[in-house]
Amino acid sequence: MAGKILIYAAFFASIISMMAFFMVHLGKEKYLKFGRLFFHVTAISVISATIYLLYLILNHHYEFAYVWEHSNGELQLPLLISTFYAGQEGSFMLWTFMTAVIGIFLLNYVSKGDRLEPQVMSVFGLVLAFLGLILVLKSPFIYVWEKWPGDVEAGFIPDKGKGLNPLLQNFWMSIHPPTLFAGFASLAVPFCFAIATLMKNKYEDWIKFSLPWLLFSGGILGLGIMMGGYWAYGVLGWGGYWAWDPVENSSFIPWLITVAAVHTMIAQKRTGGYKKTNLILCILSFLLVLYSTFLTRSGILGDSSVHSFVDPGHEVYIALVAFIGIFILIAIAALIYRYKELKALNLQPNKLLSRESSLFLGTITLCAAALVITAGTSWPILSKGSVDAAFYNRMNLPIAVLIAFINGISLLLKWKNTDEKQFFKGLLFPLILSIVVTLGLVFIGVQDFLIALFALASFFAFFINAEIAINILRKNRNQAGAYVAHMGLALVFLGIIASSKYSKEENISLQLNKPVNVPELGYTFTYVGATPFEDPNNKTDTKYHFNVKVEKDGKEMTMKPIMYFSQFSNGVMKNPDIANFPTRDLYLSPMGLEQPSQFKPEDI
């Protein structure tokens, strides 16, 4: 009962806060203190509900359906805490919690000086109100007898919980979802600033206020995406870190738009341009978060994604559609209302050889990638089938080549205008060096033209950024961050080439104590038997290491992929083992276990 009361309190307080701040926007200054007061009531209620749910989980209150469904007494503390957001209700609670905490910092930030406080906080309050509404409809504080009224007697308390999905029983479960949701929640802030500046009809200062938040959102969301990729690589056993799964894509798309917005905001800060572009990109980034939430939480991708949650119920489905629809309408209405003012903004043409032009081209390229991925991700909504990973690879490879080249070229250009001789002089050395290195790759085996071009573009971006970063580090370390980040992007591109295009995959069948040589890989594999072990987080199932001796060049090691029968999922679970070397990984993923059949008389 206490949890429900706190959620209802947060929901109604957020509505009051939103309305009070909007009244201030209309000129009623006396409502400012009420807006601030009720926003703090909202935040305190959300934080208290979060603490209460965590208390219920840590103390094994299995009379609550959510606690019973996702936790048990076997889980150690880090994974037990992570059951907080293992299901629909808890993940919405986590998103609301992150939004409320960010809101506290945001209110403190915008209340200092003329930083569009009433406009920003009225929109932000509406975001929290919708999250509160979803928690009202999909509460984690439902008793088991309320959720299954015909099957469970009132007052019944189960002895133990059902437990955590085996795929989620991993270290990354403790930090990946909170990081990702921090990125989702923080993207509401640039959106609120964009709508606020349309409400206020002032288009100059808002980027100074919103750019730090946008940088935080892009950084934290990118970090969450990388964590998810590493988790998939080490646990799912598909041999890679990215499979263009719809739910993976749904976090990647808003990140692409966020990265584009960061660059055009910097351009506006330097030159005063891209005012309309920045408004649209900041609005789109958050709307795409809402769209990804709909894809993930509505159950619509249940047959095409390994991540998708089950159908949340008709009421929550309608609430999610309303959540997206209302904010889309708000954005469109605000843009239409200010159409004349936006049309009149300065439209000075940019010189071709200028950093502004290259940034604009880069923004278009990033948005093109986002559009391609959005189309593929949304296809299951329009059709029963899903888009193959080859579609994404084929469509995004030319875009990635352009992004890498633009990244390098833009750094050689000056704001407003660039001297042609100086530009081509700066271009010459990194381009020649990139061509030489790429020709070396072609000589050792890179034969695909587009892949070679991708490698050339990636090396080009890396060498230019490295040269600039080294020069800056000698003078002012504080200004080298962007170039180091661009070097990281170039290395990611090169890693994608090496790991995706030129990895080798072999399916082999291993019999006990019978070596199998795989010349394509250069290794000899010998299955030497299975050994049981106890997982401290899962004492119900007996897990087995399937020990495989791996030999090469007189050296040997033992790899231990895992297989076991899970009572939770009522099926066989498999986890790969990975041997890491300086230039490669050896990835051993079990496919299945076959018992030898008995000989028939006619076989003798």
Side-chain angles (χ1 to χ4, degrees):
M1 181 62 72
K4 290 183 180 180
I5 292 172
L6 289 169
I7 286 175
Y8 275 99
F11 173 59
F12 288 113
S14 63
I15 293 175
I16 296 171
S17 174
M18 179 265 295
M19 293 175 64
F21 277 118
F22 189 74
M23 294 299 291
V24 177
H25 165 68
L26 296 176
K28 306 293 179 73
E29 293 290 337
K30 64 180 180 180
Y31 291 102
L32 181 60
K33 61 181 180 181
F34 292 103
R36 292 172 175 174
L37 172 63
F38 279 96
F39 184 84
H40 282 108
V41 171
T42 303
I44 291 169
S45 298
V46 170
I47 293 170
S48 299
T50 301
I51 294 171
Y52 182 56
L53 179 57
L54 193 58
Y55 165 81
L56 296 177
I57 291 170
L58 294 178
N59 290 277
H60 310 299
H61 282 264
Y62 300 129
E63 67 269 26
F64 290 91
Y66 185 80
V67 179
W68 176 82
E69 285 184 289
H70 299 287
S71 71
N72 60 24
E74 295 180 1
L75 296 170
Q76 293 186 316
L77 184 60
L79 283 184
L80 183 61
I81 292 173
S82 71
T83 63
F84 180 100
Y85 39 81
Q88 284 267 32
E89 300 89 336
S91 61
F92 279 124
M93 187 81 246
L94 177 64
W95 188 7
T96 310
F97 169 73
M98 291 291 186
T99 305
V101 171
I102 287 170
I104 294 172
F105 289 98
L106 177 63
L107 179 57
N108 181 64
Y109 179 76
V110 295
S111 62
K112 297 176 180 177
D114 185 14
R115 294 181 175 178
L116 308 173
E117 178 186 1
Q119 294 81 16
V120 168
M121 295 309 299
S122 61
V123 181
F124 197 85
L126 186 59
V127 174
L128 266 175
F130 264 102
L131 290 172
L133 175 62
I134 292 174
L135 284 175
V136 168
L137 299 173
K138 194 75 174 175
S139 173
F141 301 107
I142 301 294
Y143 291 109
V144 290
W145 56 86
E146 292 176 324
K147 188 163 186 176
W148 299 286
D151 302 318
V152 180
E153 184 180 347
F156 174 73
I157 302 177
D159 293 331
K160 60 180 181 179
K162 185 179 178 181
L164 184 63
N165 188 323
L167 287 175
L168 304 180
Q169 293 180 19
N170 184 272
F171 162 76
W172 294 104
M173 179 63 178
S174 303
I175 57 176
H176 164 62
T179 305
L180 208 60
F181 274 101
F184 283 167
S186 61
L187 274 176
V189 177
F191 172 83
C192 292
F193 272 112
I195 299 298
T197 202
L198 288 167
M199 294 168 66
K200 192 74 171 177
N201 201 24
K202 291 184 178 181
Y203 306 100
E204 300 294 339
D205 294 335
W206 77 281
I207 64 158
K208 294 188 297 185
F209 310 143
S210 58
L211 181 56
W213 296 92
L214 194 68
L215 287 167
F216 172 80
S217 300
I220 203 72
L221 187 57
L223 179 61
I225 292 169
M226 288 189 288
M227 286 179 179
Y230 193 84
W231 184 0
Y233 184 64
V235 173
L236 292 182
W238 59 29
Y241 47 85
W242 197 262
W244 296 109
D245 181 89
V247 178
E248 290 178 322
N249 297 347
S250 66
S251 59
F252 186 49
I253 295 165
W255 181 78
L256 286 172
I257 301 299
T258 301
V259 171
V262 166
H263 288 82
T264 52
M265 271 201 175
I266 292 172
Q268 181 179 342
K269 193 174 180 180
R270 288 293 191 103
T271 67
Y274 302 110
K275 294 183 178 71
K276 289 176 284 192
T277 302
N278 286 323
L279 288 169
I280 292 170
L281 290 177
C282 286
I283 289 170
L284 271 179
S285 62
F286 182 64
L287 292 181
L288 287 168
V289 166
L290 299 185
Y291 182 59
S292 71
T293 301
F294 171 74
L295 291 178
T296 311
R297 312 290 162 180
S298 65
I300 203 167
L301 298 180
D303 297 329
S304 56
S305 172
V306 299
H307 298 79
S308 183
F309 288 88
V310 297
D311 188 341
H314 182 71
E315 291 179 336
V316 177
Y317 186 92
I318 296 299
L320 287 172
V321 172
F323 198 175
I324 300 170
I326 287 177
F327 278 94
I328 290 175
L329 288 174
I330 288 172
I332 292 174
L335 290 169
I336 292 174
Y337 182 70
R338 296 299 184 191
Y339 175 76
K340 291 183 179 179
E341 291 85 351
L342 292 173
K343 189 178 180 180
L345 291 177
N346 189 16
L347 291 174
Q348 290 182 353
N350 294 318
K351 297 290 182 66
L352 181 62
L353 280 181
S354 67
R355 188 169 292 187
E356 299 96 296
S357 295
S358 66
L359 285 176
F360 185 68
L361 183 58
T363 298
I364 292 175
T365 310
L366 286 169
C367 290
L371 181 62
V372 167
I373 300 169
T374 301
T377 304
S378 304
W379 187 250
I381 300 176
L382 307 174
S383 170
K384 291 183 179 180
S386 58
V387 174
D388 189 79
F391 165 81
Y392 296 104
N393 295 330
R394 183 173 62 255
M395 297 297 291
N396 281 297
L397 181 56
I399 295 174
V401 172
L402 280 174
I403 290 172
F405 271 125
I406 292 168
N407 173 259
I409 290 172
S410 66
L411 300 176
L412 299 175
L413 298 171
K414 305 295 183 182
W415 298 106
K416 299 291 186 183
N417 196 16
T418 303
D419 181 78
E420 291 186 19
K421 290 183 179 180
Q422 186 179 359
F423 168 70
F424 286 110
K425 183 180 179 181
L427 186 69
L428 194 61
F429 176 71
L431 185 58
I432 292 174
L433 185 59
S434 302
I435 291 172
V436 170
V437 176
T438 304
L439 288 174
L441 290 181
V442 171
F443 178 77
I444 64 175
V446 177
Q447 301 299 320
D448 188 299
F449 173 75
L450 267 180
I451 294 296
L453 189 62
F454 188 23
L456 173 65
S458 302
F459 280 120
F460 177 67
F462 179 82
F463 289 137
I464 287 181
N465 280 280
E467 181 181 9
I468 296 174
I470 290 170
N471 291 333
I472 289 178
L473 284 170
R474 292 171 179 169
K475 302 174 183 177
N476 187 355
R477 295 181 181 180
N478 295 332
Q479 297 180 4
Y483 306 101
V484 174
H486 289 161
M487 289 169 61
L489 177 66
L491 291 174
V492 166
F493 282 173
L494 292 169
I496 290 171
I497 295 171
S499 62
S500 300
K501 184 65 178 178
Y502 293 99
S503 61
K504 296 179 180 179
E505 181 178 329
E506 295 291 332
N507 293 322
I508 59 175
S509 179
L510 299 176
Q511 298 182 37
L512 185 64
N513 295 322
K514 291 187 178 180
V516 175
N517 182 43
V518 185
E520 292 82 0
L521 301 179
Y523 291 94
T524 298
F525 299 90
T526 308
Y527 171 53
V528 295
T531 53
F533 71 97
E534 184 180 275
D535 183 345
N537 288 303
N538 184 359
K539 297 178 181 178
T540 301
D541 302 323
T542 301
K543 294 188 175 183
Y544 293 89
H545 283 129
F546 282 75
N547 305 299
V548 178
K549 185 170 66 174
V550 182
E551 300 172 274
K552 183 179 182 179
D553 299 331
K555 298 179 182 180
E556 68 175 52
M557 61 182 174
T558 299
M559 298 184 69
K560 300 179 178 182
I562 297 169
M563 278 195 294
Y564 66 99
F565 184 84
S566 169
Q567 295 185 31
F568 181 95
S569 58
N570 197 32
V572 175
M573 302 298 299
K574 310 162 192 174
N575 298 122
D577 193 15
I578 306 168
N580 304 112
F581 300 98
T583 59
R584 68 190 186 282
D585 284 354
L586 179 60
Y587 192 98
L588 190 59
S589 180
M591 301 300 293
L593 177 66
E594 295 182 5
Q595 295 293 338
S597 59
Q598 296 295 322
F599 286 108
K600 298 178 182 178
E602 58 267 26
D603 295 330
I604 299 177

